[in-house]
Amino acid sequence: MTQTDNLLQVKDLKTYFFTEDGIVHAVDGVDFSVKRGEILGLVGESGCGKSVTSHSIMRLIGQPGKIIGGEIWFDGKDLVQLSERELRQIRGNRISMIFQQPTSCLNPVFQVKDQVLEVLQIHQQMDRQHGTARVHELLKMVGISDPERRAKAYPHELSGGMAQRVMIAMGLACTPELLIADEPTTALDVTIQAQILELMRNLYRNTNTAIILITHDLGVVADMCQRVAVMYAGKIVEQTDVRRLFREPKHPYTQGLIGAVPVLGVVKDRLEVIPGSVPNLIDLPRGCRFAPRCRARLERGLTICAEEEPALRPIGLDHAVRCWLYE
Amino acid sequence: MAGYILRRLLSAVPVLLGVSILVFAFIHFIPGDPAIAMLGERATPESVARVRTSLGLDKPIWEQYGIYMGKVLRGDLGTSILRRDNISQELLKRFPATVELALAALVLAILLGIPAGVFSAVKRNSWFDNGTMLLSLVGVSMPIFWLGLMMQSLFSVALGWFPTGARLTATLKFQSTTNFVGLDSLLQGNWVVFLDWLRHLTMPAIALSTIPLAIIARMTRSAMLDVLGQDYVRTAWAKGLRWSTVVLKHALRNALLPVVTVAGLQIGRLLAGAILTETIFSWPGIGRWVYESILARDYPIVQGVTLFIAALVVIVNLVVDISYAFLDPRIRLQ
Amino acid sequence: MNDITFDEISQRAEAITTPVRSPWAVVLRRLARHRSAQMGSVLILFFVLVAVLAPIVYPYNAIVDSNPVNRLKPPSAAHLFGTDSLGRDILVRIAHGARISLGVGVLSVLLAAVVGVLLGLIAGQAGGWLDNLLMRGMDILMAVPDLLLAIVIVAIRGPGLGNALLAISVVTVPGYARLARSMAISLRENDFIMAARSLGVSTSEILRTHILPNSLSPIIVQFTLGVASAILEMAALGFLGLGQQPPWPEWGAMLSDSAKFLGAGAWWALTFPGLAIMLSVLGFNLLGDGLRDVLDPRLKR
Ligand SMILES: Nc1ncnc2c1ncn2[C@@H]1O[C@H](COP(=O)(O)OP(=O)(O)OP(=O)(O)O)[C@@H](O)[C@H]1O
Ligand code: SF4
Ligand SMILES: [Mg+2]
């Protein structure tokens, strides 16, 4: 695996929140990579740091948070070190992002068309007239019927699914190389979820855009992704291609997740079936973060788990695991 | 939207009615005989009788209210006791001076308060932010009459930069057609008068603007902070916009919504504050007039001006609510 | 200007950690660390101390007895803040004035809070026409600007400290009534209280044990800020000659006396009473601000 295959490579990323109650180690040494034109799934329980990871890539971490270490390589540049001006050339242009709550992500006081148009104006220097035509095209592309009329709508007049389509249109306006989709369907009805995923799959086929698809839902992962990174308590615990992940999951946490999905492709709402819960990210356990919930550790009688943290190690071609079982 | 405006209009009616009852009743709360209270113990029986009839105190109370409201609705606020002036006419003659002062103060408060609030929010916890917030707290803690007096003693008495009071230098002869001296002099191209008026306006306007300025700055800051944490602002950043566009276009437009309401609520405060400011600076508006009338126990004037100000406050709040609805598409398009 | 970055100006509105109803010990600890609460408390304590000690340190007649020989003397060792137009020591008068300003400030707001909260709770609990009537009444009072209403009330009832106190109370009531009403309503819909009701707990019991304790935080904040405006209003009434009558040393009335000698350059007679008003009001405003930050996590930081 050489650097050039990778569109994006995240190395040892650390993003902490400095709160009154202590330091929240939301992202604590995350490594993963995305290849050109692939869909990478990023899965894990609620609160494990998926959103913080994705926001860190765009450098959208607000106070009291801070990226305190690591590298994010994109097209030969480390996004962590980039100046604000250089970053602006990338945001919304070469990497764009869609979020979990589409309706609250659109500015309530502007018409939809102006919000999409803005991206074209700043990154492609389009004038208003050409831009507006392009906006209508984009809205049509994301499956909005009667785009001329809908373009004039305000966000509160749109349904959640419609708003997410607008967000996707906005995200794809400049044909980015990478689209980060942070649980794009979690807030939507089941039928709308399916439509949005279908839309994303079609757009993916027609463009060369790579996608990081963040989700709770292993069914979605199986359906949409080529590769998967599994995240637990601020760290990646396993990364491999989707077939291998489902066929031979290595990490006990991944095994638990997949064991919780009885039939491949059957949608599970939440990954909450492993007993216990994500550790408090302020006072993390010493050693492996999964240890308190890990049955394999008990079965094998591994004592090192509670003392020393395992590293993320390659155990096969494009397969890495963070677990003492495979040392 | 039309429904909203109609509902809002209708809701103002009972309040206005209530205010009229309150103001009407106030003469009856005066302990003892109101006529004697106004004229003093040594009034002649004839003049007492005259005041009693002119106030309608000899009729049953509901009838008195009916007559009073009938007159008010025709724009008649009665006659003053001491000088037998027509109160409505006097009011209209003096009101422009108060409007000049209050508007000047409001404009100052908005022009300084909103940028200060935005900048404080953007530079949260910087020395600018901390300084502005402390200053604004000092601003709302300051008796404006004291500020006015201090300014007079420094800038008028000691330094002689500004006049201590009045609206124009007495020796300047100026015939104002609308009673808006600033506007008239400007329209007539009479710069001497205009500049003189401006010099007289400066200190009272600054004194009167302190509290609204402080309130608007604080409100803008907190609304801005709230908005800057919203998802749509994060989206704006994610689009690759520069910070000034994010702040001044995406965030400010939303943050201004609550600020408009707060600015509107300052009208009442400005009119009440005008009582103190106009008294100190001898500004010939309705604030000083109402105060002088209280000292002279000319209650019909107090009654008329109070009703006028209350009605004005209700109407301005109504206008603010409706303009808020126009600014916010979520309400406009309902 | 340099580029400002997202992390410099963005924070999530829903700050993460603070529990909504913190135990009082936690509140106090946070308050003790809050800078404006610290400054406010120091100022308030200072004025309370002055008010308590004034009659002990300074004889009573020092505030009233005029002494024409000494009139309008600038600050000196004998009279730190100078003397007023009747030759009385301004420092002594300010110290005694603290009793009036703080006393009236706290008392009037206390009165208003009790009446207002009661009215609001009744309105919120009763609903229907009674609610409508009470709240329209409050709207009417609020339509007349506070200071104007207070002035009119004093004008009717005659100048004096008692009437000024009453007037300030009256104009303060509507704020509390609205606050208490909205809480009563939001809590009326609260599941826990519905359950208590279905178990046959009486309304007054629910009010006492659930609604009031929960509404305490905003009421405390409003109380503190209310004292600040009450002191200001008292001073304004005093300045207009409608509050405490001479020779008693009320700060606003002292200023109105000094204002007559503006041309004489007696800056001390103007500066110190005004500073006393401003600093005491600032104290309550600072503390109120701190309390709001600590008690209302939504507005944190
Ligand atoms: N602004 C913040 N301040 C403090 N802690 C934060 C903040 N934002 C996130 N965190 C913490 O970081 C951790 C990771 O949060 P994150 O939102 O990335 O989780 P997630 O994996 O996206 O979960 P979900 O599936 O619920 O979206 C959480 O424990 C959260 O409490
Ligand atoms: S390292 Fe130990 S505790 Fe952690 S997952 Fe592997 S076996 Fe379980
Ligand atoms: Mg998330």
Side-chain angles (χ1 to χ4, degrees):
Chain A
M1 185 169 60
T2 61
Q3 188 105 351
T4 46
D5 302 342
N6 290 329
L7 176 65
L8 182 87
Q9 178 144 31
V10 177
K11 285 183 179 164
D12 199 26
L13 177 69
K14 289 186 178 157
T15 304
Y16 295 170
F17 290 90
F18 299 86
T19 70
E20 272 184 27
D21 300 342
I23 300 173
V24 181
H25 304 79
V27 170
D28 199 10
V30 156
D31 307 86
F32 69 90
S33 55
V34 186
K35 299 193 176 115
R36 273 181 203 284
E38 75 169 356
I39 303 185
L40 172 82
L42 185 60
V43 291
E45 278 163 304
S46 191
C48 69
K50 306 183 295 293
S51 296
V52 174
T53 304
S54 62
H55 293 159
S56 300
I57 296 170
M58 293 284 263
R59 287 242 308 262
L60 293 175
I61 297 296
Q63 282 169 25
K66 196 165 172 21
I67 300 176
I68 62 144
E71 296 157 22
I72 301 171
W73 289 98
F74 176 78
D75 189 27
K77 298 189 192 95
D78 181 3
L79 299 184
V80 177
Q81 304 300 338
L82 228 50
S83 75
E84 187 69 14
R85 172 201 283 271
E86 288 171 299
L87 200 60
R88 276 206 303 269
Q89 316 288 324
I90 291 179
R91 281 182 184 155
N93 186 22
R94 301 184 60 192
I95 305 181
S96 53
M97 193 159 176
I98 59 179
F99 303 94
Q100 190 167 340
Q101 297 288 347
T103 24
S104 66
C105 286
L106 291 168
N107 194 326
V109 299
F110 296 118
Q111 290 179 359
V112 159
K113 71 162 187 293
D114 292 322
Q115 302 194 43
V116 181
L117 182 64
E118 202 173 26
V119 189
L120 297 167
Q121 284 175 326
I122 52 170
H123 292 302
Q124 308 196 334
Q125 286 74 43
M126 275 197 195
D127 62 36
R128 219 178 153 77
Q129 196 190 349
H130 288 97
T132 307
R134 174 82 177 125
V135 168
H136 294 155
E137 236 174 76
L138 282 163
L139 292 181
K140 197 159 172 196
M141 182 183 88
V142 296
I144 292 178
S145 55
D146 198 359
E148 280 85 357
R149 193 173 57 82
R150 288 282 170 66
K152 295 204 184 78
Y154 285 89
H156 73 275
E157 299 172 280
L158 304 177
S159 65
M162 205 55 84
Q164 195 60 291
R165 284 173 197 269
V166 171
M167 286 297 291
I168 292 173
M170 202 149 86
L172 297 181
C174 302
T175 46
E177 288 138 85
L178 176 64
L179 176 72
I180 302 173
D182 187 356
E183 305 193 39
T185 61
T186 313
L188 307 176
D189 295 342
V190 182
T191 47
I192 312 293
Q193 280 186 20
Q195 289 172 16
I196 294 287
L197 289 173
E198 185 60 30
L199 168 68
M200 287 183 58
R201 199 173 10 235
N202 288 337
L203 293 174
Y204 165 75
R205 284 198 192 116
N206 299 333
T207 60
N208 195 29
T209 302
I211 301 178
I212 298 179
L213 181 60
I214 296 175
T215 177
H216 280 123
D217 190 334
L218 280 179
V220 170
V221 170
D223 250 13
M224 305 267 306
C225 304
Q226 282 96 52
R227 285 165 69 250
V228 191
V230 181
M231 201 166 167
Y232 185 79
K235 286 195 187 290
I236 300 293
V237 292
E238 184 161 6
Q239 179 174 14
T240 182
D241 67 81
V242 73
R243 284 159 171 270
R244 202 154 344 154
L245 188 88
F246 281 99
R247 207 174 296 141
E248 36 178 319
K250 293 290 192 226
H251 195 280
Y253 177 64
T254 319
Q255 288 166 351
L257 289 184
I258 290 173
V261 184
V263 184
L264 211 63
V266 170
V267 177
K268 265 269 170 204
D269 269 358
R270 295 256 152 182
L271 307 176
E272 287 170 338
V273 266
I274 305 170
S277 57
V278 189
N280 176 344
L281 293 179
I282 294 178
D283 302 309
L284 284 163
R286 210 150 60 92
C288 173
R289 293 175 182 193
F290 189 58
R293 299 166 78 183
C294 180
R295 201 177 318 145
R297 175 178 67 96
L298 296 177
E299 284 164 359
R300 303 284 184 87
L302 282 173
T303 50
I304 188 166
C305 298
E307 271 147 31
E308 219 175 307
E309 175 140 45
L312 186 64
R313 282 189 205 288
I315 57 160
L317 189 64
D318 198 15
H319 194 168
V321 181
R322 184 189 291 281
C323 175
W324 286 120
L325 291 176
Y326 307 97
E327 289 286 324
Chain B
M1 184 66 183
Y4 172 81
I5 293 178
L6 198 67
R7 249 180 302 132
R8 197 58 196 75
L9 275 173
L10 286 179
S11 74
V13 172
V15 174
L16 282 174
L17 219 61
V19 169
S20 75
I21 294 176
L22 185 77
V23 168
F24 163 77
F26 118 62
I27 279 196
H28 298 270
F29 284 128
I30 298 173
D33 186 332
I36 294 179
M38 289 179 216
L39 296 172
E41 297 293 340
R42 277 177 297 162
T44 60
E46 294 84 61
S47 54
V48 170
R50 176 179 61 76
V51 167
R52 287 186 64 86
T53 13
S54 101
L55 293 176
L57 292 175
D58 44 1
K59 304 204 178 64
I61 194 149
W62 53 268
E63 203 185 324
Q64 290 179 30
Y65 177 69
I67 294 171
Y68 177 73
M69 268 318 277
K71 283 186 175 174
V72 166
L73 288 178
R74 271 178 278 123
D76 178 3
L77 292 171
T79 37
S80 76
I81 294 191
L82 295 181
R83 301 180 40 186
R84 316 257 188 110
D85 287 328
N86 178 322
I87 295 176
S88 310
Q89 282 174 10
E90 270 305 289
L91 183 69
L92 287 183
K93 217 162 74 198
R94 290 165 194 259
F95 187 51
T98 302
V99 172
E100 282 176 350
L101 181 58
L103 266 187
L106 188 64
V107 167
L108 264 182
I110 288 175
L111 287 188
L112 296 177
I114 290 179
V118 170
F119 203 65
S120 278
V122 169
K123 292 276 171 195
R124 189 187 50 220
N125 294 338
S126 66
W127 64 265
F128 178 86
D129 180 26
N130 292 334
T132 309
M133 285 306 107
L134 187 65
L135 257 183
S136 72
L137 215 53
V138 170
V140 295
S141 305
M142 191 136 51
I144 59 172
F145 55 90
W146 180 60
L147 177 65
L149 292 170
M150 294 291 278
M151 281 176 16
Q152 280 179 337
S153 83
L154 182 62
F155 296 115
S156 308
V157 176
L159 297 170
W161 292 355
F162 292 100
T164 35
R167 199 181 185 190
L168 281 180
T169 306
T171 50
L172 272 181
K173 288 280 169 276
F174 182 69
Q175 203 53 51
S176 180
T177 41
T178 60
N179 286 326
F180 287 98
V181 171
L183 195 68
D184 278 347
S185 59
L186 203 60
L187 289 180
Q188 296 173 13
N190 192 339
W191 289 103
V192 179
V193 170
F194 182 74
L195 290 177
D196 188 61
W197 168 80
L198 214 56
R199 248 165 57 85
H200 282 80
L201 179 67
T202 307
M203 289 208 307
I206 291 175
L208 189 55
S209 75
T210 334
I211 292 181
L213 168 60
I215 291 177
I216 288 176
R218 293 177 74 80
M219 187 64 209
T220 305
R221 176 184 185 267
S222 82
M224 249 346 243
L225 281 181
D226 185 36
V227 168
L228 285 175
Q230 296 293 319
D231 288 347
Y232 53 80
V233 170
R234 187 184 54 197
T235 307
W237 286 100
K239 283 175 171 179
L241 299 175
R242 51 178 68 240
W243 74 269
S244 48
T245 314
V246 173
V247 169
L248 297 179
K249 181 175 170 193
H250 285 263
L252 185 58
R253 185 56 218 287
N254 283 278
L256 278 184
L257 293 173
V259 174
V260 166
T261 310
V262 169
L265 290 178
Q266 300 310 310
I267 301 291
R269 199 184 292 276
L270 286 168
L271 291 176
I275 299 175
L276 293 163
T277 321
E278 292 180 359
T279 301
I280 296 167
F281 288 98
S282 315
W283 189 262
I286 60 172
R288 193 175 72 149
W289 191 38
V290 84
Y291 176 58
E292 284 167 352
S293 308
I294 284 174
L295 293 186
R297 298 173 178 252
D298 203 333
Y299 292 122
I301 297 179
V302 181
Q303 205 174 19
V305 176
T306 307
L307 184 62
F308 180 74
I309 289 180
L312 207 66
V313 168
V314 172
I315 291 166
V316 168
N317 285 351
L318 194 73
V319 171
V320 168
D321 273 6
I322 290 172
S323 48
Y324 184 103
F326 270 104
L327 289 177
D328 189 342
R330 283 162 293 191
I331 303 179
R332 185 185 345 136
L333 299 173
Q334 250 167 30
Chain C
M1 196 183 306
N2 282 334
D3 267 333
I4 293 178
T5 58
F6 178 84
D7 59 298
E8 284 176 67
I9 62 177
S10 222
Q11 66 172 1
R12 306 296 304 170
E14 70 283 10
I16 315 301
T17 48
T18 322
V20 179
R21 261 171 240 119
S22 331
W24 292 107
V26 177
V27 168
L28 280 179
R29 212 182 54 227
R30 292 227 166 103
L31 205 58
R33 269 185 302 170
H34 195 284
R35 196 136 45 93
S36 46
Q38 288 169 352
M39 293 197 286
S41 310
V42 168
L43 280 171
I44 294 171
L45 269 178
F46 171 74
F47 279 98
V48 168
L49 219 64
V50 167
V52 171
L53 293 180
I56 303 170
V57 178
Y58 300 117
Y60 207 53
N61 43 10
I63 50 173
V64 281
D65 291 351
S66 53
N67 182 2
V69 190
N70 255 344
R71 66 191 297 272
L72 291 179
K73 287 275 182 299
S76 64
H79 304 285
L80 276 181
F81 287 2
T83 63
D84 70 1
S85 63
L86 292 175
R88 297 169 298 197
D89 184 290
I90 290 180
L91 174 59
V92 175
R93 285 176 65 78
I94 288 178
H96 277 268
R99 302 168 70 77
I100 301 178
S101 287
L102 294 195
V104 170
V106 172
L107 226 86
S108 59
V109 181
L110 208 60
L111 193 67
V114 170
V115 175
V117 167
L118 268 178
L119 288 179
L121 289 182
I122 291 171
Q125 278 297 299
W129 66 269
L130 185 57
D131 179 21
N132 246 315
L133 186 74
L134 286 172
M135 286 302 126
R136 284 300 87 72
M138 296 300 129
D139 286 350
I140 291 164
L141 285 183
M142 284 177 123
V144 188
D146 285 3
L147 183 63
L148 178 58
L149 186 58
I151 289 176
V152 167
I153 293 173
V154 178
I156 297 171
R157 304 198 34 104
L161 191 63
N163 286 339
L165 192 154
L166 186 83
I168 294 170
S169 285
V170 171
V171 304
T172 315
V173 163
Y176 287 96
R178 283 198 171 174
L179 183 67
R181 174 180 178 270
S182 69
M183 312 211 127
I185 287 176
S186 75
L187 290 163
R188 195 171 62 192
E189 263 103 63
N190 181 313
D191 293 340
F192 182 66
I193 287 162
M194 297 236 255
R197 194 182 292 272
S198 70
L199 289 174
V201 183
S202 76
T203 305
S204 70
E205 180 79 9
I206 291 177
L207 273 179
R208 207 167 46 73
T209 57
H210 298 305
I211 298 186
L212 261 184
N214 283 320
S215 347
L216 220 50
S217 311
I219 289 177
I220 289 174
V221 172
Q222 187 152 334
F223 185 88
T224 318
L225 298 173
V227 174
S229 23
I231 295 177
L232 272 182
E233 273 155 21
M234 187 68 214
L237 290 177
F239 178 74
L240 295 174
L242 299 172
Q244 178 65 292
Q245 299 297 301
W248 307 114
E250 194 273 332
W251 293 340
M254 289 172 71
L255 280 175
S256 105
D257 182 57
S258 314
K260 295 185 194 118
F261 301 94
L262 197 69
W267 57 268
W268 58 92
L270 204 59
T271 308
F272 295 115
L275 269 181
I277 301 173
M278 193 192 85
L279 291 177
S280 57
V281 174
L282 184 63
F284 283 98
N285 275 332
L286 282 167
L287 180 64
D289 237 37
L291 279 168
R292 184 174 35 211
D293 281 358
V294 170
L295 292 174
D296 189 347
R298 214 169 38 79
L299 300 170
K300 252 178 78 60
R301 254 175 287 243

